[in-house]
Amino acid sequence: MARIVRFHQHGGPEVLRIEDIDLTPPRPGEVQIRVKALGLNRAEALLRAGSYIETPPLPSGLGLEAAGIVETVGEGVKDFAPGDAVSVIPPQSMVRWPAYGELVTYPARLIVKHPSSLDWQTAAAIWMQYLTAYGALIDIAKLSSGDAVVITAASSSVGLAALQIANKVGATAIAVTRTSVKKQALLDAGAAQVVVLAEEDLAARLSEIAGPQGVRVVLDAIGGPIFEPLTAAMSKGGILIEYGGLSPEPTPFPLAAVLGKTLTLRGYLVHEITGTPEKLEVAKAFILEGLETGTLRPIIDRSFAFNQIVEAHRYLESNEQFGKIIVTV
């Protein structure tokens, strides 16, 4: 028996339950992990609420990130052994491979031996944020030295990972945030400039920062009305990568800017990286090198105990965090 988090109906954090479940041994090619820490992501709140891109049969587990110790391995697994310290690459289906539990099972291809210098909480905060930011900025946009990149929702775990990746490759990172509460923290985290939506005109401020050449890359998690000022500040041939939809308002199509500047507006899911073995290996090498050298440093906002999973989800939905929310098991 192992304690597993599941929900039997869609709704708020209160629908999450901790249940004792009999787990089957790992099948061929799988690894079972005794979890030490979980990383929380907005996708999990969306799945729980019934508004995610994946619709689960109920009851359902959830979760995309975990770190822990290999408990046992299935037939044919050669690269891992009981006792190994590992972390989990987010699967394409968290319904099929849920992370919220004392024991979890994953395909060996989604398991990584993380650097021994990392504690459990940090190890559980790596892969979703850095793979998401890497795929958008490096694999797709080819961000490099001399580029300027605008990063919205910059205080989120992905936003902070994007700031660090931009700095790692020598680009200029411009952070966009709702209020000035987190402005200094974003500067400390590596933003060259911070634009505060509640206090500044986004288009005018970005134009002031970027100058007449504009910004080549935009990484946006919000959508909605800011689409027009974001594209107004972009350079000719620039690319806007959309990986979220936090705004409840309609997203206008900025026709004049797209035509006049021959812009690319592109939707993006981290599955593009995790679902392509060759790309995933390149991304893992980039991220592990950054962790080893210290150019990439996961920022932990707050930790909760496993039996506080409901409280952790309430905090996740508050949008008050700066960085990653962790649950220790």
Side-chain angles (χ1 to χ4, degrees), residues 83 90 137 175 231:
L137 297 183
T231 52

Side-chain angles (χ1 to χ4, degrees), residues 7 10 16 39-56 61-65 90-95 100 128 132 157-158 243-244 246 269-271 313 316-317 321 324:
F7 57 97
H10 295 297
L16 297 176
L40 269 58
N41 297 277
R42 184 160 296 278
E44 293 140 30
L46 294 173
L47 183 80
R48 185 209 71 225
S51 53
Y52 190 50
I53 57 175
E54 184 176 16
T55 301
L62 71 169
L64 288 163
E65 289 184 286
Q92 294 208 12
S93 170
M94 69 172 122
V95 174
Y100 286 14
M128 189 64 172
T132 301
S157 59
V158 173
Y243 74 99
L246 296 177
L269 294 173
V270 71
H271 300 164
H313 264 242
L316 175 66
E317 294 189 336
Q321 65 268 17
K324 199 76 169 184

Side-chain angles (χ1 to χ4, degrees), residues 1-4 21 23-24 31-36 69-72 98-106 306 329:
M1 301 283 282
R3 294 191 302 162
I4 304 294
I21 304 292
L23 298 180
T24 59
V31 175
Q32 196 164 74
I33 301 164
R34 184 159 297 278
V35 175
K36 296 295 184 179
I69 299 171
V70 172
E71 182 91 351
T72 185
Y100 286 14
E102 293 177 324
L103 279 175
V104 297
T105 303
Y106 279 87
F306 188 67
V329 183

Side-chain angles (χ1 to χ4, degrees), residues 39 65 87-90 114-115 118-119 121-132 161 287-288 291 298 300 324 326:
E65 289 184 286
S87 47
V88 172
I89 298 290
H114 57 252
L118 301 184
D119 58 36
Q121 294 191 28
T122 305
I126 298 170
W127 296 108
M128 189 64 172
Q129 61 180 337
Y130 286 117
L131 285 171
T132 301
I287 293 164
L288 289 170
L291 292 168
I300 308 299
K324 199 76 169 184
I326 296 294

Side-chain angles (χ1 to χ4, degrees), residues 27-31 74-77 106-109:
R27 296 183 301 184
E30 294 179 347
V31 175
E75 182 182 347
V77 174
Y106 279 87
R109 61 183 172 79

